[in-house]
Structures are given as C-alpha cells and as structure tokens.
Amino acid sequence: MGGPASTGATAGGCEQRGFFSLEEVLALPGCPDLDELRGRRLAVVECGHEIPCDPCQTACPTGAIAVGDDITALPRLDASLCDGCGTCQPVCPGLAIFLVDMTRDDGLAEIWMPHEFLPLPEKGERVRLRDRAGEVVGEGKVRRVRHGARLDRTAIVHVLVPERLAMVVRALEVTR
Amino acid sequence: MRRVDVAVVGAGPAGLCAAAEAARHGCEVALLDENATAGGQLFKQIHKFFGSRAHRAGRRGIDIGAELLDEVAGLGVHVCLGAPVWGLYEGRTLAVAEDDHSWRLAAGAIVLATGATENGLAFPGWTLPGIMGAGCAQTMINVHRVLPGRRVLMVGSGNVGLIVAYQLLQAGAEVAAVVDVLPRVGGYPVHAAKIARAGVPVLTGHTVKEVRGDGVAEEATVWAVDDAFRGLPGSERRIRVDTVALAVGLTPMAELAWLAGCRMGYVPELGGHVPFHDARMATSAPGVFVAGDVSGVEEASSAMEEGRLAGVWAAAAAGKVTEDRAAEAAEPHAAALDGLRGGPYGVHVRRGKQALADGVATAQVQVLGGGGV
C-alpha cells in the first residue's frame, strides 16, 4: 500500500472543525491498522463519538464489529473477523462506514462510499473526489453503483482511486 | 360533552406512541392535533435514526411515522386533526376548536405531547425575507418540495442545523457555511462530517453579525467570537446568500401544562420551562402526563419511548390497567430511554431530567406554579 497522504486537516479537534483528520481516524477503534488493510477489503468505521447507536454491531454477520450492551460505546473492528461484505454500511445512520479494498494489483484501491445525492453516478463515469474536509483531491472512475430496497435509499458507490488516496477520499460528486 | 379514557394532545412521535400504548391497554383514546396531518416532525425527517434495534435505529423518520400511523389506526384510536386544544379545565376537560365551533372532551387521563417551537435569533437584518427557522426550511424542502433559496447560511451546528444543512444539499441548494457561536460542533460529529466532506465549511466560534439586502436577504456577514461570545472586529467575512436558516434551539410548548397547574421548573438543559415529572411521565397535576419535547427538548427516538411510558401510565391512571401490569409494560421503554441517554451526549438531558424527577429546586431549576387540575 502506498503512503496514504493527509490532506485538508487543519488545527484543532474534530469537534472544532467538523471532520476527522486522517491521524484521528487511524486512532479509532473502528479503523483497521494500515498493515491489516494490505491486500484485503475491510470496513473502516469512522465513528469516534459516544452517541447512542449500534446497528453496525447488529448487522455484522461475522461478529467483526462490537459495540457491546452500552450502545454509546464506540464500535470496535476486529479486522481478523471482517470479510469485507459491507452489510454494516447502509445501516449506519451516520454514513460513517467505508469499505476500503486493497486487493487489486494495478495501483488502484476501491472505496465503497455511502451516497445520498441525486443524480446517482453511473458505472464507468468519472466523478470528482473529495477528502474528509471537502477538498477536491482528484477524479475517480465509478466501478459499480448499488441501490435498492435493502439499502433503503442510501446508494453505495464503488470508486477506483489511486492507492495512496484509499484512506483520504471520502466523498464523490457527480459533475455532469 | 364527549368522554374518553385517555386524551392525547399532539400527534407527533410522542403523542402517537402514547395513544397507541394507551389503546393497547384497553383505553378508548382520542388523539388531537392542530395540524392537518399527523406525525409531527417525523415526515420531515428523511434521515436514518440512531439508537438500537429497539429504537428502530437505521430506519428513516418518514417510514417510522407511517408505521406509527398504521399502529394507531389498527388500535382504533380516534384521531382528530385540525383540532387545536385551546383550554384545559378542572376535571381534566379539554376545550377543542374544530372548524367553526368548539367542543369539550373529558378524559380519565391526559397526555400532553405538544412538542417544542423553534427559537429565533435577533441581529441587524433578521427580519428580512429569506431568514427563517431551520425547521421552516426543512418543511419547505421535505414536505412542500420547494427550495427556500439557492444559497444558504446555517446558523447553529446542533443536530437540527447539521441535518437540515445536509438535507438542503440533498434538495439541491448550496450551503455556504454552517456557523456556531460555540467553539465546538453541537450535534453528532458524524452529521458534521457528512456536510464537511461535501465541501461545506463548518465555522465553530463564529456567529452571524448582520444580514443585508434590498428587500430580501442578499449578503450575510459572519464573524469570529471571543470567549465571552463578543464579535471580534476585523474577523468579518461576507457571504453571498439568499437564505439564512436559524437552528438555535427549541423551547418546549408548555402552555397547556401551565393551564393544568402543573408545577413548572426552568431547566436550561431541557430548553426552558418544563413541567416537573417523574419516571412515569406524571406531572404534579393528577392524571396529567407529558411526553416528548414538551417535557424537555430531546429528539424523536426518546420522544417515542417517553410516549410509550406516558401512554401505559395514563392507562393505569384511567383505571384500565393495574399498576403491576403497567410497570411490566413500562419497563422495556424505561430501559430503552436510559440507553438513548447514555454517554456524553446525554449528560445534559440526564441532569435536567434528574432535577425534575427529584423535584428539587437547584440553582438552575426555578420552581413555579403548583396546584393541579
């Protein structure tokens, strides 16, 4: 895996600026280590505040995400149990779960992002990519768009990005 | 005069759940609301709710609202819409206005689930067209499907401000910024993260200084504030906007609780004057219960649990269910409420509710009223 670049983070905590820096995300119990991500597809649970919520734990079919009985506890990801199925993704009310797929050998990573804006992108379309701060960090190609009853109007968009942006890109914008 | 076992005032999430629970426990229930449709704010809440499975977490407010309407219909609740309750008299008698006449309704027990109203914020230019409550903007986009404007400044970063800012983006508006006078985001940071990554600046420690325009809002000036929330000259930035949405808190609509003679306290953590109530949601006025934002501003998930509690205990007060059975039915909802109020984001509500339950006049709880229906 290439070195994930940090972009857009300014001084002050997440609560002050409204988004996590990459360093803050990597320290979350729901975020796998970069070593664990190598060659795998894993959920990255970007949930770092003790809000009362646990659908990720309930949805996970492999027991990889644990919140516990106290639903304000932070979700913890056990990367050894996560098979990258993405069942957790559409049930997260905070749209805070991303799937990061580092299994390709062409220098690209695939990111699955929850997306609730119309028009939806189409397969093959090039979309504008943004980081957690909303800064434009490049363009990516849409590999797949999933939506349907099970996803309950949260589309999941699969986008191919350069490997180094795997932990940086967190939003897409249709520019047509 | 008409008579029911339980009358519920307000058909939002709390009132719908109270009515359903009272009906399930054998009561004849009237559910009254001044609006033309039931559901309160639920049908504006197109986002997925937090919580656990017991709280219908991961489901959207609009879908939960539809389920609750089905539930009360299936239980035979009398739903009276377009029917504002304008009086509450001795003997638990409500005065209801409908079309061109008024009628009276006597009830064995009453549940007040009247909700809350948006706070305003005064600044030079605040009366210009284009400046509105965030709830107003949300009603326009999600109920009437009309954009309030093309480019919006959101004032306030509590969950209402963050969620409505996101929904304005979904509706096709541009959100120029979200400002909050406090040095940190007020709502859940995951909501802030959604708008931040869409490119919306979240400016904490900032507020609106003034809005200018020729007959309508055209330009807002925001500025940074110091520790005492005074604007810092020289920090001004001008933002072209045609809409300014105010998400600066809610105040419980407690008029009927005052009328009922409920003992009231001023609890800043809960949004203002609220009736004292215990874990059964019973006020100091015999047979008068409260649920939802009128009992302290929270959110829809906790309003629904409070409604279930109030409905069960109102059924007991109306003599339709024993105390033991009521306690058994109430238990899971009390536990669900505790779950929702856990953690750092529930601290304020826990403190406020505890002060009310204790009935203790702390430094922050000014006691007013007393007596009862």
Side-chain angles (χ1 to χ4, degrees):
Chain A
M1 178 175 169
S6 170
T7 62
T10 55
C14 166
E15 298 84 0
Q16 187 246 311
R17 64 177 115 80
F19 57 91
F20 283 123
S21 67
L22 179 60
E23 291 70 24
E24 288 166 338
V25 166
L26 291 172
L28 294 175
C31 181
D33 295 337
L34 295 178
D35 285 345
E36 292 172 323
L37 258 173
R38 188 170 294 129
R40 300 185 62 196
R41 182 175 74 217
L42 296 174
V44 176
V45 186
E46 303 198 2
C47 180
H49 297 83
E50 294 170 307
I51 61 183
C53 195
D54 75 346
C56 52
Q57 163 176 263
T58 311
C60 179
T62 64
I65 302 179
V67 175
D69 291 336
D70 174 3
I71 64 168
T72 58
L74 295 185
R76 293 182 311 279
L77 180 85
D78 183 338
S80 69
L81 297 177
C82 178
D83 66 2
C85 68
T87 309
C88 54
Q89 205 171 11
V91 302
C92 173
L95 305 190
I97 303 179
F98 302 85
L99 269 287
V100 173
D101 186 337
M102 303 294 293
T103 60
R104 300 173 67 100
D105 55 10
D106 57 359
L108 297 176
E110 183 174 317
I111 311 178
W112 302 6
M113 288 184 277
H115 188 73
E116 294 186 332
F117 297 104
L118 295 173
L120 290 177
E122 285 167 12
K123 183 178 174 177
E125 184 171 353
R126 293 196 72 78
V127 292
R128 185 177 288 158
L129 304 173
R130 294 182 186 267
D131 67 8
R132 294 180 185 83
E135 301 289 338
V136 176
V137 290
E139 274 196 351
K141 190 174 167 188
V142 174
R143 201 186 73 76
R144 193 179 171 198
V145 180
R146 286 184 290 135
H147 58 97
R150 200 179 58 79
L151 300 179
D152 187 17
R153 291 154 283 180
T154 302
I156 303 295
V157 181
H158 300 223
V159 183
L160 295 172
V161 307
E163 241 181 28
R164 66 185 168 79
L165 295 179
M167 289 297 287
V168 172
V169 168
R170 285 298 177 265
L172 65 97
E173 187 184 346
V174 173
T175 53
R176 75 180 114 101
Chain B
M1 184 163 62
R2 300 179 214 184
R3 210 169 269 282
V4 289
D5 297 314
V6 173
V8 180
V9 186
L16 284 165
C17 288
E21 219 53 46
R24 181 170 292 116
H25 287 88
C27 295
E28 183 180 8
V29 179
L31 175 60
L32 307 143
D33 197 295
E34 63 184 350
N35 294 292
T37 53
Q41 307 305 304
L42 282 173
F43 291 104
K44 303 168 193 176
Q45 297 183 340
I46 61 172
H47 54 282
K48 293 176 178 174
F49 281 15
F50 292 90
S52 68
R53 183 175 283 168
H55 312 112
R56 309 184 198 221
R59 311 279 318 285
R60 296 179 190 275
I62 40 174
D63 299 324
I64 294 171
E67 283 176 10
L68 293 179
L69 294 188
D70 285 348
E71 187 182 353
V72 297
L75 288 162
V77 171
H78 306 294
V79 183
C80 309
L81 300 171
V85 173
W86 59 266
L88 203 168
Y89 296 100
E90 283 181 19
R92 288 186 291 275
T93 299
L94 297 170
V96 185
E98 207 170 3
D99 298 328
D100 58 351
H101 66 288
S102 273
W103 49 281
R104 285 180 301 157
L105 176 68
I110 291 172
V111 179
L112 302 177
T114 44
T117 185
E118 290 195 279
N119 296 337
L121 183 70
F123 46 81
W126 78 300
T127 57
L128 282 170
I131 302 176
M132 64 188 73
C136 170
Q138 190 183 37
T139 303
M140 290 179 72
I141 53 177
N142 293 351
V143 178
H144 303 295
R145 305 189 182 209
V146 175
L147 270 185
R150 292 283 161 196
R151 195 167 148 82
V152 185
L153 172 69
M154 180 63 69
V155 181
S157 73
N159 278 334
V160 172
L162 298 173
I163 289 169
V164 176
Y166 180 70
Q167 293 175 354
L168 282 161
L169 294 174
Q170 290 180 301
E174 192 183 343
V175 178
V178 175
V179 296
D180 199 302
V181 72
L182 293 172
R184 55 186 4 243
V185 169
Y188 293 160
V190 282
H191 283 314
K194 290 191 304 186
I195 58 171
R197 65 181 181 246
V200 176
V202 178
L203 305 174
T204 49
H206 281 73
T207 192
V208 56
K209 181 186 183 191
E210 64 175 330
V211 177
R212 290 197 225 186
D214 183 11
V216 291
E218 292 175 0
E219 184 187 81
T221 303
V222 302
W223 58 351
V225 298
D226 65 14
D227 293 344
F229 304 119
R230 290 175 302 229
L232 291 168
S235 70
E236 291 92 345
R237 24 181 146 170
R238 293 175 170 190
I239 306 177
R240 297 289 298 182
V241 289
D242 57 14
T243 304
V244 179
L246 304 175
V248 291
L250 299 161
T251 298
M253 300 221 289
E255 293 87 348
L256 290 173
W258 286 108
L259 266 181
C262 296
R263 192 158 165 249
M264 304 289 287
Y266 185 80
V267 187
E269 291 94 333
L270 299 179
H273 284 106
V274 286
F276 276 82
H277 57 273
D278 59 19
R280 299 178 173 192
M281 306 308 297
T283 68
S284 65
V288 178
F289 296 78
V290 284
D293 278 354
V294 69
S295 74
V297 172
E298 282 184 87
E299 37 72 54
S301 299
S302 49
M304 290 188 280
E305 300 299 345
E306 286 192 339
R308 302 268 172 203
L309 287 173
V312 167
W313 289 112
K320 301 301 271 191
V321 63
T322 64
E323 291 257 323
D324 285 352
R325 264 214 63 206
E328 201 182 312
E331 201 283 325
H333 301 296
L337 253 187
D338 283 347
L340 287 171
R341 289 175 182 157
Y345 289 88
V347 167
H348 273 66
V349 167
R350 288 202 301 275
R351 200 162 56 208
K353 289 284 187 179
Q354 193 57 52
L356 287 180
D358 294 346
V360 172
T362 65
Q364 288 202 302
V365 183
Q366 179 193 354
V367 185
L368 296 149
V373 177

